[in-house]
Amino acid sequence: MSTAPANATPSDYAAVYRRSLEDPEGFWLEAAAAIDWIEPPTRALDDTAAPLYRWFPDARMNTAANCLDRHVAAGHGARTAIIYDSAVLGSVEHISYAELTERVARFAGMLRARGVGPGDRVVIYLPMTPEAHVAMLACARIGAVHSVVFGGFAARELAVRIDDARPKAIVTSSGGIEPSRRVEYLPAVAEAVALAEHTVGTVVVKAREGFATSLQDVRAGVGSGTQWLDWDEAVAQAEPADPVPVAATDPLYILYTSGTTGTPKGVVRDHGGHAVALAWTMANIYDVGPGQTMFTASDVGWVVGHSYIVYAPLLVGATTVLYEGKPVGTPDAGAFWRVAAQHSVRSLFTAPTALRAIRKTDPEGALAHEHDLSGLKTLFAAGERLDPETQGWIGDLLGVPVVDNWWQTETGWPIGANPVGLTALPVKTGSCTAPSPGYAVQILDGSGQPVEAGTEGNIALRLPLPPGTLTTLWGDDQRYIDSYLSAFEGYYATGDSGLIDEDGYLFVMGRTDDVINVAGHRLSTGALEQALATHPAVAECAVIGLADPLKGQRASGYVVLKSGVTVDGEAGAAALLDELRAAVRSTVGAVADFKQVAVVDALPKTRSGKILRKTMRQMADGEEHTVPSTIEDRSVLDALEPVLRAGR
């Protein structure tokens, strides 16, 4: 599927990138040949409703058939589609393409029998089990639009999404399993259904052993209006459903991301552009093809899970690892290495936060040496900025290229990455390497003018965005325009700041909210964090800008130490803090005026691994704030609050 020659050179990347911008019509029509079409596209881009663009407007296809049926028809039904590795249960299951196709067809038939059809929405609230793949692909098979909500979300947040998506059905489970507890899903789902103004017709429940609340308990405690079904019983009675042809421009899924007003934004992804873009990335960025194994250590509730646990590997006939566990604690910091070795993983994709957690627990990387990782070719990281210290540590430990790739829920696939399947470009630590073909990346100043190479500014993407990116926000085109397309005319505003250096390498420094102004000097908190991370005792860190009556803002740092690092008394603590301040001064300079730094036990994060810097800043400044519903552990933020307030 790759368009690159076997002996690709950096000039090949430059030529491919240039063509993707100069001839997007021809470029993406060629890429579309990797997909099976019911009605092939005769043109790529429809710009008649700009700035709302559509890709492959005259084509028809089915995403599930491209992920499943075509591989079975080609004689690959016995190939493993999913390796379900549950570290919390201590079990492994291999599911073939033929078996997965049968499961999806039957579940699709069950949904269809309950009145779910093309364009109808289905909310999926499941743990990391094969039922997530089945439910998502079953919706795609019959043209329904799925909206996956991270299992364990609070009932009120789930109700908000129900009212926005207005689903005909919800698919859920008894619960999720964490290293130290079990999370009951059914009480939250029942409460959400009761809270929502929209009436959900059907709730399908996959029973799991060991949970306190059963389907019978829920049925007895809820009113009429919603039918609660047992997954196994309902599917056993269903007739398999064939794939339904849909327009390439029809919505495949809605994925909610946080909105600045507190109201979630439903990112809409289409069928055709999504399939074409993801298939292209598997060949050209991730270097994974038919029969090879990709392990994406994320969650299906996030965009990384949608793209690279579920859809992309199956689109190209690869094997995807569905891992139910944590980077540490199930049972130890060697969990990822065990999975990679046991399943002959070629490409491992995780979040920098997970790598930092592994490093904190096993700073010498001893557990990695217990496994044969000779089959691992590349480690990819996305979700948070990959700091140079962590990048260097994991690269030295594994002896493979460590590729930082940067993207967003809205884009669905990397804006910037090292396209190792096309051309393995030289690595620059701290950079996500180069803009991906299709993305016209520009660095703009506050007035929307391009800046010189090496100058930090607003990262923006010239329209149109490539296939596979969001087409709009669910039910609200104007909100999409206002949120993303109004800051700079003709551009999508990413909300991130960064720079492109003289060699064309892209450096993402953080959210534009995280740029602080100290006595007239604009400083990136990413650069300050990068300096702190160079200290050998630091596992991870965060820097925020606090209000200062004299200088406008001042930088305040919070560091978590590696496991095994001890500080001897007040004198030792003072010496460590002096060393941290000196690290910032030597790297960033005196203009940072960096004095305030504290050692903390942990940093508050979302479930996807993003540090809640904005919430930390608001709490420290005594501002009104709302704790995001995506927070992983509220107790971490509560424990940090006195430290934040003490720094005011």
Side-chain angles (χ1 to χ4, degrees):
M1 289 171 54
S2 175
T3 57
N7 59 344
T9 66
S11 62
D12 295 311
Y13 159 76
V16 171
Y17 182 70
R18 185 169 57 252
R19 185 184 174 220
S20 75
L21 301 188
E22 294 176 352
D23 180 24
E25 186 79 13
F27 183 90
W28 290 113
L29 279 177
E30 284 184 14
I35 298 302
D36 282 3
W37 301 91
I38 297 168
E39 296 178 17
T42 61
R43 59 191 179 115
L45 180 65
D46 177 6
D47 60 359
T48 55
L52 303 177
Y53 296 90
R54 303 192 309 163
W55 288 93
F56 312 114
D58 59 349
R60 296 179 69 79
M61 48 88 73
N62 184 277
T63 296
N66 271 276
C67 289
L68 300 172
D69 303 70
R70 67 166 173 164
H71 303 309
V72 176
H76 305 305
R79 180 186 295 162
T80 299
I82 300 173
I83 300 173
Y84 169 44
D85 188 308
S86 178
V88 295
L89 296 178
S91 63
V92 174
E93 179 185 6
H94 290 73
I95 303 172
S96 71
Y97 270 92
E99 182 180 356
L100 183 59
T101 302
E102 172 64 16
R103 291 191 195 185
V104 168
R106 285 199 173 274
F107 195 78
M110 185 276 297
L111 289 175
R112 186 179 59 188
R114 268 72 194 177
V116 178
D120 292 330
R121 276 77 63 205
V122 176
V123 165
I124 298 172
Y125 186 86
L126 287 168
M128 289 287 286
T129 60
E131 285 74 26
H133 278 74
V134 171
M136 294 168 73
L137 290 162
C139 290
R141 192 174 191 84
I142 58 175
V145 182
H146 65 69
S147 183
V148 180
V149 178
F150 189 101
F153 249 37
R156 189 167 297 279
E157 294 297 330
L158 178 57
V160 169
R161 288 153 176 78
I162 291 171
D163 280 335
D164 193 69
R166 302 182 67 80
K168 275 197 173 180
I170 295 176
V171 181
T172 189
S173 164
S174 301
I177 304 174
E178 300 287 338
S180 59
R181 64 185 180 126
R182 290 181 176 239
V183 182
E184 300 276 345
Y185 286 5
L186 293 185
V189 174
E191 183 181 353
V193 170
L195 287 171
E197 295 182 3
H198 171 73
T199 300
V200 179
T202 304
V203 178
V204 184
V205 180
K206 177 64 177 180
R208 301 186 82 182
E209 294 183 359
F211 289 86
T213 306
S214 69
L215 177 58
Q216 289 71 25
D217 296 331
V218 176
R219 283 173 173 163
V222 298
S224 60
T226 301
Q227 184 181 26
W228 292 72
L229 302 176
D230 176 85
W231 174 302
D232 294 330
E233 293 176 359
V235 169
Q237 300 169 7
E239 292 293 326
D242 291 330
V244 172
V246 298
T249 55
D250 282 347
L252 169 65
Y253 69 75
I254 305 165
L255 183 56
Y256 287 95
T257 186
S258 300
T260 55
T261 63
T263 304
K265 296 180 291 190
V267 169
V268 178
R269 199 88 63 212
D270 64 7
H271 280 264
H274 173 259
V276 170
L278 290 191
W280 189 91
T281 65
M282 286 296 284
N284 294 283
I285 293 179
Y286 296 102
D287 192 26
V288 176
Q292 296 173 331
T293 302
M294 185 173 193
F295 170 27
T296 301
S298 181
D299 189 285
V300 292
W302 306 120
V303 68
V304 170
H306 277 57
S307 294
Y308 296 106
I309 298 177
V310 180
Y311 285 110
L314 300 180
L315 280 166
V316 301
T319 298
T320 181
V321 176
L322 177 67
Y323 175 68
E324 187 179 27
K326 299 292 184 182
V328 297
T330 54
D332 54 35
F336 283 5
W337 320 135
R338 189 271 303 169
V339 171
Q342 183 174 340
H343 304 309
S344 301
V345 169
R346 177 181 178 85
S347 172
L348 198 166
F349 188 172
T350 190
T353 300
L355 299 176
R356 288 191 283 265
I358 293 169
R359 186 186 184 200
K360 180 177 185 293
T361 305
D362 182 22
E364 301 304 318
L367 293 171
H369 298 306
E370 297 179 3
H371 301 280
D372 179 6
L373 298 174
S374 58
L376 184 64
K377 301 304 180 186
T378 317
L379 175 72
F380 294 89
E384 266 270 296
R385 184 170 177 271
L386 179 60
D387 61 279
E389 288 299 309
T390 301
Q391 186 173 9
W393 174 79
I394 195 65
D396 291 342
L397 176 63
L398 299 180
V400 301
V402 178
V403 176
D404 186 12
N405 58 137
W406 167 64
W407 42 303
Q408 303 175 327
T409 299
E410 291 85 350
T411 66
W413 59 282
I415 301 168
N418 196 329
V420 297
L422 172 65
T423 301
L425 299 172
V427 171
K428 280 195 180 185
T429 302
S431 170
C432 64
T433 313
S436 297
Y439 288 100
V441 181
Q442 292 278 339
I443 309 299
L444 306 177
D445 63 18
S447 62
Q449 297 302 308
V451 301
E452 294 182 357
T455 302
E456 185 172 344
N458 302 287
I459 305 177
L461 312 176
R462 193 173 70 240
L463 298 176
L465 297 178
T469 55
L470 81 168
T471 57
T472 187
L473 295 177
W474 179 251
D476 200 338
D477 291 344
Q478 191 58 49
R479 189 182 183 196
Y480 168 49
I481 294 170
D482 294 343
S483 298
Y484 299 100
L485 309 182
S486 60
F488 307 110
E489 185 176 358
Y491 289 90
Y492 167 96
T494 67
D496 282 293
S497 66
L499 60 90
I500 296 177
D501 71 7
E502 292 78 2
D503 298 322
Y505 278 64
L506 175 61
F507 291 76
V508 183
M509 304 308 295
R511 301 296 291 172
T512 51
D513 290 345
D514 296 331
V515 174
I516 61 177
N517 194 318
V518 179
H521 298 283
R522 285 174 56 83
L523 301 173
S524 166
T525 57
L528 299 173
E529 291 172 2
Q530 182 172 318
L532 286 173
T534 62
H535 193 286
V538 174
E540 61 180 344
C541 58
V543 174
I544 59 176
L546 303 184
D548 186 279
L550 180 62
K551 299 176 181 178
Q553 286 183 298
R554 68 181 186 279
S556 182
Y558 306 86
V559 300
V560 178
L561 303 183
K562 296 175 185 173
S563 295
V565 173
T566 57
V567 178
D568 297 328
E570 292 184 8
L576 172 62
L577 297 181
D578 283 342
E579 291 170 6
L580 293 170
R581 296 183 187 104
V584 173
R585 282 197 303 272
S586 65
T587 304
V588 180
V591 295
D593 193 28
F594 185 77
K595 299 174 182 176
Q596 194 168 321
V597 60
V599 176
V600 297
D601 293 332
L603 294 170
K605 301 169 187 169
T606 65
R607 290 188 177 97
S608 63
K610 290 183 173 62
I611 296 171
L612 297 174
R613 295 175 182 84
K614 181 179 179 181
T615 305
M616 290 170 62
R617 175 180 57 76
Q618 290 172 328
M619 292 179 71
D621 282 342
E623 298 178 1
E624 290 287 331
H625 63 275
T626 300
V627 178
S629 59
T630 54
I631 190 169
E632 182 177 31
D633 186 348
R634 175 62 189 260
S635 66
V636 172
L637 187 62
D638 293 339
L640 186 61
E641 185 171 6
V643 181
L644 293 167
R645 295 193 184 281
R648 291 172 59 183

